[in-house]
Amino acid sequence: MSSNRVYPTRFKGVDVTSVSTDAYSQFGSQMSLNHDKHEGCRNCCPRRCVLITCVILLILGAMAAALACAIIFGIPPKQPITRLCKTTSGTNGFLCDDRKTCLTSTRMCNGKVDCSNGEDESNLYCGDLPHSLPKYLVFMCGNQRSWTYLDEKCDGKNDCGDCSDESGCSRDLLSWLQCGSISDMNRES
């Protein structure tokens, strides 16, 4: 009679746990190991699975600890880039990405790259003039349809066509009168 090494044929269909102690003594510890290996551990995890699970839990624990530290000690929120700066003439200007170059408003969207990264000519700022420019660089004229750059306000020239960019300036009376005469000449033509 041939026998299977894992499941001896004489115990086929019989519960191994009900085998007499003579059977255990005949097959020795091999019978009990085979029984444990194939019957009792079919649904349990092998050691490698337990090790992988422990490593994953350790990594997740480290990530949770790092997140907790970040929350407790605080990660500063990303600050929006402030582009406002003062030019050498004292007017509001546009600060380039290098955080050193401050451009006058008239150097924005003029077709010439003045910032090292070209942000002064980017579509973000030049896509929908004057609405895409920062408000501190734009002067809306009295008629609200025209606009000019802020550093062209009070420069002695009628950039708006209605002299609204020259009104309220601390310039002398002569520049105001010149603007008025230019405005009158524009109305006559």
Side-chain angles (χ1 to χ4, degrees):
M1 178 162 115
S2 68
S3 67
N4 188 341
R5 290 196 63 129
V6 176
Y7 297 107
T9 55
R10 71 182 197 175
F11 293 114
K12 210 178 231 184
V14 177
D15 185 15
V16 178
T17 57
S18 66
V19 175
S20 68
T21 56
D22 290 339
Y24 280 109
S25 64
Q26 182 181 1
F27 295 107
S29 62
Q30 181 179 358
M31 180 69 175
S32 62
L33 286 176
N34 285 337
H35 171 71
D36 289 342
K37 184 175 180 183
H38 294 287
E39 293 295 325
C41 281
R42 281 193 180 161
N43 294 327
C44 67
C45 233
R47 286 184 186 166
R48 183 172 46 183
C49 182
V50 171
L51 180 65
I52 291 171
T53 303
C54 288
V55 169
I56 290 172
L57 288 174
L58 184 65
I59 291 171
L60 288 175
M63 288 172 47
L67 182 63
C69 287
I71 291 171
I72 291 170
F73 298 114
I75 298 173
K78 186 174 181 180
Q79 298 291 327
I81 297 174
T82 303
R83 298 287 186 176
L84 177 63
C85 63
K86 289 291 182 189
T87 63
T88 54
S89 63
T91 61
N92 289 341
F94 179 83
L95 186 63
C96 295
D97 284 344
D98 65 6
R99 311 301 282 170
K100 295 175 186 171
T101 309
C102 184
L103 302 178
T104 60
S105 57
T106 51
R107 291 175 64 189
M108 291 289 298
C109 306
N110 63 354
K112 180 181 174 228
V113 175
D114 295 302
C115 292
S116 58
N117 292 337
E119 57 270 19
D120 61 312
E121 300 298 323
S122 71
N123 196 37
L124 176 68
Y125 297 109
C126 303
D128 182 26
L129 293 176
H131 307 291
S132 55
L133 284 172
K135 299 293 181 218
Y136 56 83
L137 296 178
V138 176
F139 175 77
M140 293 305 291
C141 297
N143 62 17
Q144 295 299 315
R145 290 185 308 265
S146 301
W147 66 277
T148 187
Y149 290 105
L150 191 64
D151 62 337
E152 291 179 336
K153 183 176 175 10
C154 298
D155 64 350
K157 299 176 189 166
N158 182 12
D159 298 301
C160 286
D162 61 358
C163 289
S164 59
D165 60 313
E166 299 303 317
S167 65
C169 299
S170 60
R171 300 270 177 174
D172 57 58
L173 184 60
L174 181 61
S175 64
W176 171 250
L177 291 174
Q178 287 175 340
C179 184
S181 63
I182 293 171
S183 178
D184 290 339
M185 288 171 42
N186 286 340
R187 281 187 221 145
E188 291 174 5
S189 22

